[in-house]
Amino acid sequence: KRNDIGSTASCYAKAYLGETSLGGKAMRAFPADMLTVNGYLGTDGIKPFVEQILAHDKSIFALVKTSNPSSGELQNLKLENGEYVYERMGALVEEWGKDTVGKYGFSEVGAVVGATHPEEAENLRGKLKNTFFLIPGYGAQGGNAQMLKVCFDKRGLGGVVNNSRGIICAYKKPEYAGKKYFEAAREACVAMQRDLSATIGKMS
Amino acid sequence: KRNDIGSTASCYAKAYLGETSLGGKAMRAFPADMLTVNGYLGTDGIKPFVEQILAHDKSIFALVKTSNPSSGELQNLKLENGEYVYERMGALVEEWGKDTVGKYGFSEVGAVVGATHPEEAENLRGKLKNTFFLIPGYGAQGGNAQMLKVCFDKRGLGGVVNNSRGIICAYKKPEYAGKKYFEAAREACVAMQRDLSATIGKMS
């Protein structure tokens, strides 16, 4: 989760998504396809990333409604116009991505929308028609397929579900006791895939 | 400018401000004294840093009102209770630091308050009695001593002024033409010190 003001954001954007000049040679410093960014600084902190997205066919996800317990302290404050802070951030994300919408109708500037806050997720899915969601909070943080299905549109599209600790640390769970690390991780992946496709696959 | 949810924030906090276990040995990964963090995620993303502050005598600065041109897009939105988003973030910072106030009355959880937004800076200085400011925006971004003097209290205390490009890139400026890089940097430092002490030194 990176960000800074314009000039430094530009260097971050080039380092992660684009190319950096090193000894006169264009090099890819950290060749990533996607990066999570924080939009608290506003448009001039995000624009440099959008430039690299357009130049190098990359994507970013901006924090909108995060999965952690106290995310509402700032994100769920109500503005004088009746909007919530997270809704405003979502609207900025939709705006930042508008020149990068692809054939499925989603832009390259996505939103982080936690599986642990289904009400806000449903609200955002209804408003941000062109924004793809990165959905953390599944597994270790308590999110499940029922909770996060609201992040997907009627076609069953619109999001990717992230699960880190639930897979990496599966071998520590009682239900995988005695299994090797990689066996437990594989089984946790398969279980997650079944859970998600049974729920989201049913949408039409 | 770092942050993430609780568990990852905790690892960031240990890596930059505390100690990390490597091969069973406690190591300082990036031995920094201070770190800039982003509070958009709320208290559980900041608490791990405060724990390391208390354990290792370190400090952080949280983004409150940043120096970049479009910082107001989110930070200057008005809430339904009449507060601005940046004021609320400032109040959270004051709260996060309350157990770390030292003998001069300032806590170890500071606020980033740009020199380029004097009105907001004055407002924040009046409200956040125990919060020390990190003040970017001096020099290359257009801030000057007159603009940022409102960041200091009646004693002339309460902030540290950051100047990166104005010093590092001084040798590129017409007034330092023909000077070596380090000579230009030194002279730019002296000029900045004179400018600040002439203005802030006059407070009583």
Side-chain angles (χ1 to χ4, degrees), chain A residues 85-169:
Chain A
V85 168
Y86 80 85
E87 290 179 305
R88 184 90 294 267
M89 185 66 97
L92 285 170
V93 169
E94 183 95 351
E95 173 68 22
W96 292 330
K98 72 175 194 298
D99 296 332
T100 70
V101 176
K103 66 175 175 176
Y104 292 102
F106 295 109
S107 87
E108 303 287 3
V109 181
V112 175
V113 178
T116 48
H117 304 290
E119 196 185 317
E120 290 87 342
E122 184 167 16
N123 179 19
L124 288 167
R125 181 71 287 154
K127 288 186 167 137
L128 310 179
K129 299 300 184 192
N130 301 126
T131 300
F132 198 80
F133 292 177
L134 172 65
I135 308 160
Y138 182 92
Q141 290 182 63
N144 59 47
Q146 263 314 313
M147 290 161 76
L148 62 79
K149 70 176 183 181
V150 294
C151 292
F152 294 82
D153 67 15
K154 295 286 175 236
R155 298 170 295 173
L157 301 179
V160 59
V161 181
N162 180 58
N163 185 355
S164 308
R165 279 176 286 164
I167 306 284
I168 299 169
C169 304

Side-chain angles (χ1 to χ4, degrees), chain B:
Chain B
K1 298 182 178 64
R2 294 284 174 273
N3 210 0
D4 210 300
I5 66 160
S7 59
T8 313
S10 172
C11 293
Y12 276 151
K14 285 177 191 160
Y16 289 101
L17 303 177
E19 291 174 340
T20 297
S21 172
L22 200 67
K25 221 176 130 185
M27 308 271 285
R28 324 212 73 159
F30 306 98
D33 290 320
M34 293 168 182
L35 192 68
T36 304
V37 300
N38 190 320
Y40 185 73
L41 292 97
T43 298
D44 58 22
I46 300 295
K47 237 178 179 165
F49 293 95
V50 177
E51 284 163 18
Q52 296 302 314
I53 284 171
L54 291 168
H56 299 282
D57 192 22
K58 303 289 187 174
S59 305
I60 55 171
F61 289 100
L63 302 180
V64 172
K65 176 61 195 170
T66 60
S67 56
N68 56 309
S70 54
S71 69
E73 286 175 9
L74 207 85
Q75 297 163 27
N76 284 42
L77 294 176
K78 205 175 209 175
L79 300 170
E80 64 170 356
N81 70 358
E83 249 185 334
Y84 290 101
V85 168
Y86 80 86
E87 289 178 306
R88 184 90 292 269
M89 186 67 98
L92 286 170
V93 169
E94 183 96 351
E95 172 69 21
W96 293 329
K98 71 175 196 295
D99 296 332
T100 70
V101 176
K103 66 175 175 175
Y104 292 100
F106 295 109
S107 86
E108 303 287 3
V109 182
V112 175
V113 178
T116 49
H117 304 290
E119 195 185 317
E120 290 87 342
E122 184 168 14
N123 179 18
L124 288 168
R125 180 72 288 154
K127 289 188 167 138
L128 310 179
K129 299 299 184 193
N130 301 126
T131 300
F132 198 80
F133 292 177
L134 173 64
I135 308 160
Y138 182 93
Q141 290 183 64
N144 59 47
Q146 265 311 316
M147 290 160 75
L148 62 79
K149 70 176 183 181
V150 294
C151 292
F152 294 82
D153 67 16
K154 294 287 176 234
R155 299 169 294 173
L157 300 179
V160 60
V161 181
N162 180 57
N163 186 354
S164 307
R165 279 176 285 165
I167 306 284
I168 299 169
C169 303
Y171 73 97
K172 294 181 181 174
K173 286 190 204 161
E175 63 259 48
Y176 300 114
K179 308 246 169 183
K180 293 207 171 83
Y181 161 79
F182 62 88
E183 290 169 344
R186 185 186 176 281
E187 290 184 27
C189 281
V190 172
M192 176 183 172
Q193 195 193 23
R194 281 207 192 107
D195 181 31
L196 291 177
S197 53
T199 306
I200 297 154
K202 274 182 194 153
M203 302 171 95
S204 64

